Every structure is written in C-alpha cells, then in structure tokens.
Amino acid sequence: AQSVTQLDSHVSVSEGTPVLLRCNYSSSYSPSLFWYVQHPNKGLQLLLKYTSAATLVKGINGFEAEFKKSETSFHLTKPSAHMSDAAEYFCVVKSNTGKLIFGQGTTLQVKP
Amino acid sequence: DVKVTQSSRYLVKRTGEKVFLECVQDMDHENMFWYRQDPGLGLRLIYFSYDVKMKEKGDIPEGYSVSREKKERFSLILESASTNQTSMYLCASSLLSTGALGEAFFGQGTRLTVV
C-alpha cells in the first residue's frame, strides 16, 4: 500500500530565505509523486510532478523537488521565499489504481 | 484549460437532510474523485470512479454514496446529513493513467455546514 507523510505540519520562514518542506513516501513500486499548493480560499493547484525522467523536478513559482529513492523522500524546496508563497502544501502519491493519496499538509508561513 | 466545477461554494443543511453535491468536468476524464478536507487531516478520499456507473470506496465512505450516470458528472450524496459531516468537500478529475501524466484537477470546493 502507498502512503505519504509530511514531516512538518507548520513551517515558518522569513521572506528571502530558503524553504524546505519535507515529504516521505511509502510505495511498493516506482511511485508517481506530486506537490500541490492551496492558497486561502482557493482551489488546489499542481506545483510539480515526478515523471521518473529526472530526479530533480522543477515546478512553478521557483519551486523544485528532488526524488531520492534511497531515502524514500520527495522534499520541496525554494531558494528564496516570497510573501505570496504563504499557503498550505500537500505531498501526494498516486496508487497503481489511480487513487491520489494525500499527506496531512504543511502550512507555510512567510514573515516579512 | 481543464475545468472542474462544483455546483455550490457554500451550503448549510439541517441534520437528517439528504444532501447532493454535484461536480462536472469538461475534459473527458475517466477518473473522478470526492475528497473531504479537514484541518490537520489533509484530504481524505471518500469515493472515486474510473468510469460511468463504476465506483470504488475510498478511505472514509461511511455515510456517503455516489452516482456517476454520465462521464462528466460525479455526484456525492449524504443520505442523512450529520454534524460530523461538516467539512470542505473537493471534487477532482484525471485521465485514466497510472503515471504522473494523470495529474488531478480540482474544483474550488464546497464548504458544507450541517446544523
């Protein structure tokens, strides 16, 4: 069975500093992995997806994530946080039946 | 652009009422999903469907049923609403793909309050 664990429920950074949101997954086969972002009162938007073509995946708004099979991790990073990055972020693994399995979410706070 | 449309943004219903949440997608996607989102719990899958008239239970199907009579429409039904079903409900759709190409597209959500 597939599962995903987001290691931090809340992350706070200062504007202009790096962002790291951690995600570990469990999968019995090569997984499909995604990061989604949800801004307040907005729908879920796809940030990036792991396609197995490259372990470092670039997404929108300067975010990227690195797939590390040995560590079963898919952490989301951004070199420099912006105030507009404040949102909730979800790491997602896709099962072999097509179901999307969500982590509990990480709330990112960006301080001026 | 893919569009997933949920019929209501906000709903207030009374305990015991039968509640219908409607979702329509315009991209001919095979898969459709209903999730509920609660603080600290992330998104939990209620039901999903991979074809017309086909459905599978997700992680929390109790108290819910679904209907998929047409490919573009997936309805969530609360047979007898209870206060513990107060939540944000999200509909999603995706292509029938087991790979990363089958990313899901989400509606704006329906915030349901049961009083």
Side-chain angles (χ1 to χ4, degrees), chain A residues 41-67:
Chain A
N41 300 314
K42 296 276 182 72
L44 281 155
Q45 180 184 18
L46 181 70
L47 265 182
L48 50 80
K49 56 188 177 184
Y50 170 63
T51 64
S52 77
T55 55
L56 184 62
V57 182
K58 293 190 185 298
I60 61 172
N61 300 334
F63 283 93
E64 59 184 37
E66 187 171 8
F67 173 72

Side-chain angles (χ1 to χ4, degrees), chain B residues 30-95:
Chain B
E30 294 89 357
N31 290 344
M32 294 190 76
F33 308 84
W34 275 107
Y35 290 88
R36 65 177 281 177
Q37 182 178 13
D38 300 287
L41 297 177
L43 275 73
R44 293 178 292 167
L45 182 64
I46 305 171
Y47 268 97
F48 81 104
S49 168
Y50 50 89
D51 201 352
V52 175
K53 297 191 187 295
M54 306 300 289
K55 61 186 180 184
E56 284 200 23
K57 293 180 180 179
D59 300 315
I60 52 164
E62 296 78 19
Y64 303 94
S65 62
V66 289
S67 171
R68 189 148 181 221
E69 297 296 319
K70 293 185 178 181
K71 192 175 185 179
E72 67 271 19
R73 186 180 297 271
F74 192 36
S75 303
L76 179 70
I77 304 155
L78 286 66
E79 297 290 343
S80 178
S82 64
T83 54
N84 63 12
Q85 292 178 309
T86 291
S87 186
M88 171 70 85
Y89 290 87
L90 292 166
C91 174
S93 73
S94 71
L95 287 169

Side-chain angles (χ1 to χ4, degrees), chain A residues 32 34 36 38 41-44 46 49-51 88 90 94-105, chain B residues 9 31 33 35 37 40-43 45 48 57 90 94-95 97-104 106-108:
Chain A
S32 296
F34 308 81
Y36 282 83
Q38 186 179 38
N41 300 314
K42 296 276 182 72
L44 281 155
L46 181 70
K49 56 188 177 184
Y50 170 63
T51 64
E88 189 158 20
F90 293 96
K94 192 172 186 180
S95 77
N96 57 352
T97 59
K99 288 193 292 187
L100 294 179
I101 300 161
F102 281 74
Q104 289 90 340
Chain B
R9 289 295 303 273
N31 290 344
F33 308 84
Y35 290 88
Q37 182 178 13
L41 297 177
L43 275 73
L45 182 64
F48 81 104
K57 293 180 180 179
L90 292 166
S94 71
L95 287 169
S97 166
T98 56
L101 291 175
E103 70 187 75
F106 285 82
Q108 290 289 85

Side-chain angles (χ1 to χ4, degrees), chain A residues 51-95:
Chain A
T51 64
S52 77
T55 55
L56 184 62
V57 182
K58 293 190 185 298
I60 61 172
N61 300 334
F63 283 93
E64 59 184 37
E66 187 171 8
F67 173 72
K68 291 187 176 180
K69 187 175 180 179
S70 60
E71 299 176 11
T72 62
S73 69
F74 190 56
H75 300 335
L76 182 70
T77 60
K78 183 173 180 177
S80 176
H82 192 272
M83 295 297 292
S84 61
D85 295 327
E88 189 158 20
Y89 292 79
F90 293 96
C91 182
V92 182
V93 65
K94 192 172 186 180
S95 77

